[in-house]
Amino acid sequence: MLQVRNLLVFFENALAINDVSLEVSQGELVAVLGSNSAGKTTLMNTVSGLLLDIQKKEQRRGGERITIMGRVEYEGREIIQQKPSLRVKQGIVLCQERHPVFRDSDVLENLRIAGYLYTRREVKEGIEKVFAIFPVLRRLRKRRAGLLSGGEQQMLAAGIALMARPRLLLMDEPLLGLSPLLQAELAASIKEICRQGITTLVTEQFARPIMPIIDRGYVMENGRLVFSGNREELMDNPEVKSAYLGV
Amino acid sequence: MSTIIYGIITSVILALYAVGFSLTYGISGLANFAHGALYILAGYISWNLMNYLGLPFLASAPLAVVACALVGFIIYWGLLLRVRGIPLSELVVTFAAGVAILELLTWRGFYGISYSLPVFVEGGVEIWGVAVDAQRLLVIAVGVALVVLLYLFVHYTKIGLAFRGMAQNERTALSVGIESDWIGALSLALGSALAGLAAVVVLPLGMMESSVGYEVLIYALAVAIVGGLESTPGMVVASFVIGFGQRITASYIGPKWMIIVPLAAIVLVLAVRPSGLFGKFKELEERV
């Protein structure tokens, strides 16, 4: 479904993504593990197209020069130059890190804003689907998003992404900063989203909470993918064990 | 009594001046310094449509509003797009566009006492012993209707919701398929249309000339700064504070001191509470 080939991303002369190739097939739940500044977010932003927008804005104000090279294919088509809105229409939706929600709007309005591309009826159905996956949100639907707890905001952020009807969902560190209990709960929800037929690519710093739900994973270090394998192979790898599982 | 009634009218007029400016700023963080120019442009366009094409005011006024929206859109797409994201350049571009429009109108001879728009409604009524003409009541009605309509617009329509999304978190808006430049251009078009709308209901109250554009910009800025940029309740309250301030000044000190009020208000607020009366400080509980 998604094929990244020899991707290189420069911020000025610094290499953020160094020759990355990865693949996600239909229906899979794939993780990219890596520490801070390994390039996970840049990878997600490149696949979602957000980086193109950042690049354009930097260019306008004469800021950082961002260079993107390589191939990103989605369902067989090259998309590396497509702007983010076009990618969303084709089903590539990014849920950014640190639960970025619309803080002054209540939960329901957050979801309605996120249904921008769809008809009123589709939005209604979408909201029901989100509430089915995250029942907490139904109870909190009238609360302002800025007043939700971190975990609730993360669920809402996932809900916002779901409202855009992804076929390939990109989740950037969804478990960051949550308590272990919430992490397990949210991980189960992500598994459920994937089970409903939404292919998911998720990044994470710590492997433990995400390990039980993934099919395959990559390990990223300093912009390079240094290891790839299925869940068992990841768990058996001594380096992964020490660096990301804390064993 | 007359101070109160005319204070309300002045306040609503100020709110009408400011609403488009605040709206654009609230959505895309864009301070449109061409706002006053667009205001007077609407008057100029509708005057010309009436006097050269013979259209009735009821037809020329909406056309002028639409024309303003178009000019706003063109300012965004043609000029602002190149400097979007650099606040100072945005300011220079919009101010330059505004000066260009105003000086163009002056060059076309749009000053003096020969230009005025007809009122929509003739006659007047007496409220608690104070004579008020119908046009001023219409101004109040338009002001109130506008607040209600805008509220419904931003909370219940697709574009309105996209506006709210953009205003709050541009990147999240982008990642659900909302295009920031398109929405930015629309927000400037809507703000400009509101400047035009204010013009066609307020201008019939007096003479018009190109220099009014600068005045309107100052009022819009004063209201936006005093109320706190991005805050709608702030805008309404600030309109009333400055409006009544002006009326009271006019009644007790003298009409020539009226223009001091918005300027003094700007200075005072910037000195004492720079984010405005209702400006948003990040609330503690939101810093999760």
Side-chain angles (χ1 to χ4, degrees), chain B residues 186-233:
Chain B
L186 281 184
S187 77
L188 189 58
L190 181 62
S192 308
L194 291 173
L197 179 66
V200 296
V201 296
V202 176
L203 280 176
L205 294 176
M207 298 293 153
M208 55 184 184
E209 56 176 340
S210 55
S211 66
V212 173
Y214 294 110
E215 226 170 89
V216 167
L217 177 62
I218 289 176
Y219 282 122
L221 271 177
V223 169
I225 290 171
V226 171
L229 294 156
E230 306 177 39
S231 161
T232 315

Side-chain angles (χ1 to χ4, degrees), chain B residues 78-108:
Chain B
L79 302 172
L80 274 170
L81 208 51
R82 291 150 210 274
V83 296
R84 197 73 175 92
I86 320 163
L88 192 61
S89 302
E90 289 174 359
L91 197 148
V92 171
V93 165
T94 54
F95 190 67
V99 171
I101 292 171
L102 288 177
E103 293 309 315
L104 192 72
L105 295 188
T106 309
W107 176 65
R108 296 284 301 152

Side-chain angles (χ1 to χ4, degrees), chain B residues 72-279:
Chain B
F73 195 89
I74 291 167
I75 289 178
Y76 191 97
W77 217 255
L79 302 172
L80 274 170
L81 208 51
R82 291 150 210 274
V83 296
R84 197 73 175 92
I86 320 163
L88 192 61
S89 302
E90 289 174 359
L91 197 148
V92 171
V93 165
T94 54
F95 190 67
V99 171
I101 292 171
L102 288 177
E103 293 309 315
L104 192 72
L105 295 188
T106 309
W107 176 65
R108 296 284 301 152
F110 197 61
Y111 55 85
I113 51 160
S114 46
Y115 299 95
S116 64
L117 292 174
V119 294
F120 277 105
V121 277
E122 300 278 350
V125 286
E126 204 165 283
I127 305 170
W128 296 306
V130 182
V132 183
D133 54 318
Q135 182 70 21
R136 287 193 161 77
L137 293 179
L138 180 76
V139 166
I140 294 184
V142 168
V144 173
L146 206 57
V147 169
V148 175
L149 283 177
L150 280 179
Y151 180 85
L152 293 177
F153 173 72
V154 295
H155 285 88
Y156 294 101
T157 67
K158 204 143 273 269
I159 299 288
L161 283 169
F163 278 174
R164 269 180 78 69
M166 272 294 296
Q168 295 180 56
N169 195 324
E170 187 180 344
R171 284 205 184 162
T172 306
L174 271 172
S175 49
V176 294
I178 297 171
E179 281 182 62
S180 56
D181 282 330
W182 171 239
I183 294 298
L186 281 184
S187 77
L188 189 58
L190 181 62
S192 308
L194 291 173
L197 179 66
V200 296
V201 296
V202 176
L203 280 176
L205 294 176
M207 298 293 153
M208 55 184 184
E209 56 176 340
S210 55
S211 66
V212 173
Y214 294 110
E215 226 170 89
V216 167
L217 177 62
I218 289 176
Y219 282 122
L221 271 177
V223 169
I225 290 171
V226 171
L229 294 156
E230 306 177 39
S231 161
T232 315
M235 189 201 77
V236 175
V237 171
S239 304
F240 275 79
V241 169
I242 296 176
F244 272 89
Q246 282 203 306
R247 271 295 140 197
I248 291 166
T249 310
S251 307
Y252 296 102
I253 304 177
K256 65 176 174 184
W257 295 98
M258 274 171 72
I259 188 68
I260 296 291
V261 174
L263 300 173
I266 293 179
V267 172
L268 203 67
V269 166
L270 286 182
V272 176
R273 203 184 146 92
S275 60
L277 295 178
F278 285 69

Side-chain angles (χ1 to χ4, degrees), chain B residues 60-76:
Chain B
S60 74
L63 282 175
V65 172
V66 172
C68 274
L70 268 176
V71 173
F73 195 89
I74 291 167
I75 289 178
Y76 191 97

